[in-house]
Amino acid sequence: MYDQNYTTIVKFLESIGIRIVERDLDDDTFLPGLMLGPDCIYIDHKKLKYPGDILHEAGHIAVTSPSERKLIGTQEMLQEWPTQGDEIVAILWSFAALSHLELKPDFVFHENGYKGNSKWFIDNFTSGNFMGLPLLEWYKMTDNEFPKMRHWIRPD
């Protein structure tokens, strides 16, 4: 399970402040083998099906406000998190990350994810239609040079 893509992702995430914690997880996680915690991603390698999902989940942490990041995975986190806006901006963030890491889009946007819309996301993003870009700009994470990021983690 520790292939080159996995190693590349883990090094990148840890370099931007998102910790990877390997541990056993229950079967009731939203994505197999992955669960979010305060500024971290818990990974169960025995259950992880799609390593590209790690980047999408990291996107949720990265675009969450600093005050709420430390609440992810706790009872204190707002029940409505992530919102639809959070979801689309996390998806766009993951595209920026895979571009930065020089990974193929279908590594993250695999055919068994995104409610059957993976190809639609790939087609839109690779043609320059970046849904969610105004929100990433408002968060001061990028500007008109997208997919280049000014900040990988949402600043205060």
Side-chain angles (χ1 to χ4, degrees):
M1 181 56 79
Y2 296 100
D3 67 2
Q4 184 60 42
N5 288 339
Y6 176 83
T7 302
T8 299
I9 290 169
V10 168
K11 284 181 182 179
F12 168 69
L13 294 178
E14 290 181 343
S15 77
I16 65 170
I18 297 175
R19 292 178 299 116
I20 301 299
V21 179
E22 297 177 4
R23 70 177 228 198
D24 292 335
L25 297 173
D26 293 333
D27 290 331
D28 63 351
T29 58
F30 181 73
L31 293 172
L34 294 174
M35 188 171 80
L36 295 180
D39 290 315
C40 73
I41 301 173
Y42 300 111
I43 300 177
D44 185 337
H45 287 282
K46 295 181 298 291
K47 296 178 181 164
L48 182 65
K49 288 187 178 181
Y50 306 102
D53 289 344
I54 297 167
L55 276 183
H56 174 76
E57 292 304 292
H60 283 295
I61 295 171
V63 302
T64 298
S65 69
S67 61
E68 290 181 329
R69 268 197 304 272
K70 63 184 177 218
L71 303 178
I72 295 172
T74 71
Q75 297 290 350
E76 298 172 40
M77 187 54 154
L78 300 172
Q79 285 186 337
E80 58 271 6
W81 183 88
T83 65
Q84 290 294 340
D86 296 330
E87 186 65 39
I88 195 66
V89 79
I91 291 170
L92 186 60
W93 183 96
S94 65
F95 178 78
L98 71 85
S99 298
H100 174 75
L101 298 173
E102 299 180 350
L103 299 171
K104 293 181 181 181
D106 63 356
F107 180 72
V108 172
F109 301 102
H110 54 83
E111 64 183 24
N112 293 312
Y114 302 91
K115 300 179 182 176
N117 293 312
S118 296
K119 184 178 178 335
W120 183 82
F121 281 115
I122 291 170
D123 291 347
N124 275 279
F125 292 158
T126 57
S127 67
N129 184 14
F130 302 125
M131 299 82 62
L133 185 57
L135 198 49
L136 269 183
E137 291 172 336
W138 187 63
Y139 291 166
K140 297 181 174 82
M141 295 177 75
T142 192
D143 51 31
N144 59 359
E145 293 185 50
F146 186 83
K148 183 179 177 191
M149 300 292 283
R150 291 174 37 201
H151 300 282
W152 284 107
I153 299 288
R154 183 175 168 183
D156 289 326

